Amino acid sequence: MTETTHTQTTPPGTAGRPRSPEFRLAVDALRGLRQDLFHDAFAYRPLPRTAVDGRLTRHLPDRMRAHAARTPHAVVVAGGLVALLVGTVTTGVGGPGLLCGLLALAPVLLTLVRPVGALWLSFAATTVAAVLGGDWDGRPWPPGSFVSHLLVLTIVAARTRPRTAGWMWLLTAVYGFWAETVFGYGNDYTDTGPMLVLSALALLVVTVRHVRRQAEQEVTAQQSVTEHERSRRTLLEERTTIARELHDVVAHHMSVVAIQAEAAPYRVENPPPELEKAFATIRENAVAALTELRRVLGVVRAENYEAPDAPQPTLADLDGLLANVREAGLEVEKAVTGAVRELPQGVELSAYRIVQEALSNTLRHAPGAGARVEIGYVLGGLGLRIVNGPAPAPDLVKPSPGAGHGITGMRERVSMLNGEMTAAATDEGGYEVAVFLPVPAAAPAIEGGA
């Protein structure tokens, strides 16, 4: 048995030919029409309550605010009652007039729960009202249906997307011309033109409002993203600055370890080989760690970064900092409590930078105000408190805004040392920064050690 395979090629000019841009545009348009007005047209979509956090509604009592949230529903019902009144009065007293009024009311009320379905109900109700209503000046919309259909178009456009407004206007035009042809209105006066003009104006206003609201939402979202990225960049810059400063501190300690490990065997007469080998291993590991540290920290250094010639500042250099800020016009006092002792270099550097940044913030945001720096040496660590008063003449001297890095940098330094920090305005109108940096108790020295 022989199996053969038959391949059928699509002749050119049919399905195998690429579609033109016009054809694809038409297909996309029809697909949008189906999605907007046919797919789940009668789906349940209740009108949501309005927000009550506006400038006017936020001051209302709780009961009135609950009623104010239903304002859109009340407006829709009021519009429906107007359509009911117009349809009843213009058609005449009796059953047909009441029926035409109800046919005008029903589509408007349906927009509260099924907005797209209300459009189709409006077309159907208009047709029935045209048959039952008898003679009137305008065709094909009876007066009540005219008002009702305008309200339905406006409400549905407000509850959907701008593209739906265009489709609804087009369907309204098609229905108007179709009704004139089918019912044979001839040369009588028709209200299709006024309907298309008024509905176009209403839909244009709603569409512009939609576009403006969408633009505002996009701008708000973009501002949120920009603010998040700015905060993230600020945080990374502060961490990079701290890493650069601590590089010299850690490198110094690692160098001391390497030098002491190399010199330790010579301080003991006839050291055992095991001890010499242990010290050599310590020195090799210290040198390797120092090399890796410099390699990693080199990544965070900027291309134009130059290492400082002087050692990193400590609390011993704080008097010089206070003298500089006094020359800049800031009256600052210093108070030290507890037994002054030498702290780890990382703690000293962080404490100095925190005081420096707090005083810089005082110069920027409260020019002319006095400040006080309190340093407390306690058993478990170091306490800092930098507080400033309010600016003496805020209307005459405007503060100079900074980059917003100050508080972020302080918190990063405190977090790095597992400390605690609070920064808040004082009752007197000034600002206070309180920091506690824990310092572990020093291990007792071993006699004869290196």
Side-chain angles (χ1 to χ4, degrees):
M1 181 177 180
T2 304
E3 183 182 88
T4 59
T5 303
H6 177 68
T7 303
Q8 181 179 0
T9 59
T10 304
T14 58
R17 184 175 57 186
R19 302 297 186 182
S20 63
E22 292 80 5
F23 178 82
R24 292 197 298 268
L25 183 62
V27 171
D28 292 340
L30 293 176
R31 186 181 296 113
L33 173 62
R34 177 180 178 275
Q35 180 181 359
D36 292 340
L37 297 179
F38 289 92
H39 182 68
D40 289 339
F42 286 87
Y44 182 71
R45 300 167 187 170
L47 179 64
R49 298 184 180 184
T50 186
V52 291
D53 54 353
R55 289 180 296 180
L56 298 178
T57 55
R58 71 177 60 176
H59 301 294
L60 296 175
D62 294 339
R63 179 175 298 179
M64 295 185 64
R65 291 179 64 186
H67 293 299
R70 294 286 188 179
T71 302
H73 305 75
V75 172
V76 173
V77 173
L81 294 178
V82 171
L84 170 65
L85 180 62
V86 173
T88 303
V89 172
T90 56
T91 305
V93 181
L98 180 59
L99 180 59
C100 290
L102 294 177
L103 289 174
L105 173 64
V108 179
L109 296 183
L110 190 61
T111 59
L112 294 174
V113 290
R114 307 181 191 275
V116 179
L119 174 68
W120 299 112
L121 180 61
S122 178
F123 286 131
T126 300
T127 305
V128 175
V131 174
L132 299 178
D135 296 331
W136 63 91
D137 294 336
R139 293 174 182 272
W141 276 277
S145 298
F146 190 94
V147 176
S148 174
H149 194 71
L150 277 178
L151 291 174
V152 169
L153 290 178
T154 305
I155 297 171
V156 175
R159 296 197 58 192
T160 55
R161 65 182 73 182
R163 185 179 68 181
T164 307
W167 285 122
M168 291 190 301
W169 186 88
L170 183 60
L171 289 178
T172 300
V174 171
Y175 173 82
F177 296 136
W178 170 83
E180 293 178 6
T181 303
V182 170
F183 292 104
Y185 295 143
N187 297 325
D188 295 340
Y189 172 75
T190 65
D191 50 10
T192 301
M195 168 62 74
L196 295 180
V197 173
L198 293 178
S199 61
L201 292 176
L203 295 178
L204 179 61
V205 172
V206 174
T207 301
V208 170
R209 182 172 176 270
H210 262 300
V211 174
R212 180 179 178 182
R213 179 182 298 179
Q214 184 177 2
E216 291 177 351
Q217 292 176 352
E218 291 178 356
V219 170
T220 302
Q222 185 63 34
Q223 289 177 348
S224 300
V225 172
T226 303
E227 185 65 25
H228 175 72
E229 291 297 329
R230 184 184 295 113
S231 301
R232 184 172 178 270
R233 184 174 64 251
T234 299
L235 184 62
L236 293 177
E237 290 176 357
E238 289 300 321
R239 289 180 177 178
T240 301
T241 301
I242 295 172
R244 291 172 182 171
E245 293 180 349
L246 291 181
H247 169 266
D248 297 333
V249 175
V250 178
H252 169 73
H253 288 296
M254 296 300 296
S255 300
V256 171
V257 170
I259 293 174
Q260 288 183 345
E262 184 177 7
Y266 300 99
R267 301 178 62 181
V268 180
E269 185 177 357
N270 298 324
E274 294 80 3
L275 184 61
E276 292 183 353
K277 185 177 180 180
F279 279 119
T281 302
I282 294 174
R283 181 184 181 280
E284 291 176 359
N285 290 334
V287 172
L290 183 61
T291 303
E292 292 297 328
L293 177 66
R294 289 172 177 170
R295 184 179 303 166
V296 173
L297 266 296
V299 175
V300 300
R301 291 187 185 274
E303 295 181 359
N304 57 352
Y305 175 78
E306 296 181 0
D309 297 332
Q312 296 292 351
T314 62
L315 290 177
D317 305 313
L318 195 58
D319 291 335
L321 173 64
L322 299 183
N324 290 334
V325 296
R326 290 190 184 102
E327 293 179 359
L330 176 64
E331 294 295 331
V332 57
E333 301 177 357
K334 175 186 173 184
V336 180
T337 58
V340 179
R341 66 183 187 277
E342 184 177 357
L343 301 175
Q345 193 169 359
V347 176
E348 295 259 357
L349 172 61
S350 296
Y352 179 91
R353 293 301 186 196
I354 290 172
V355 174
Q356 183 183 36
E357 187 59 44
L359 296 178
S360 298
N361 287 343
T362 302
L363 287 172
R364 279 195 297 264
H365 302 292
R372 178 179 176 85
V373 178
E374 300 178 0
I375 304 175
Y377 290 86
V378 295
L379 183 61
L382 177 70
L384 298 174
R385 182 175 179 268
I386 306 96
V387 60
N388 64 269
D395 297 335
L396 300 179
V397 182
K398 295 183 178 180
S400 175
H405 296 196
I407 299 298
T408 302
M410 295 183 200
R411 294 192 186 279
E412 282 297 306
R413 294 181 185 276
V414 173
S415 175
M416 177 189 63
L417 298 174
N418 296 325
E420 298 177 359
M421 171 181 167
T422 59
T426 62
D427 297 336
E428 293 78 13
Y431 204 80
E432 178 185 16
V433 176
V435 175
F436 176 76
L437 302 177
V439 177
I446 300 178
E447 295 183 1

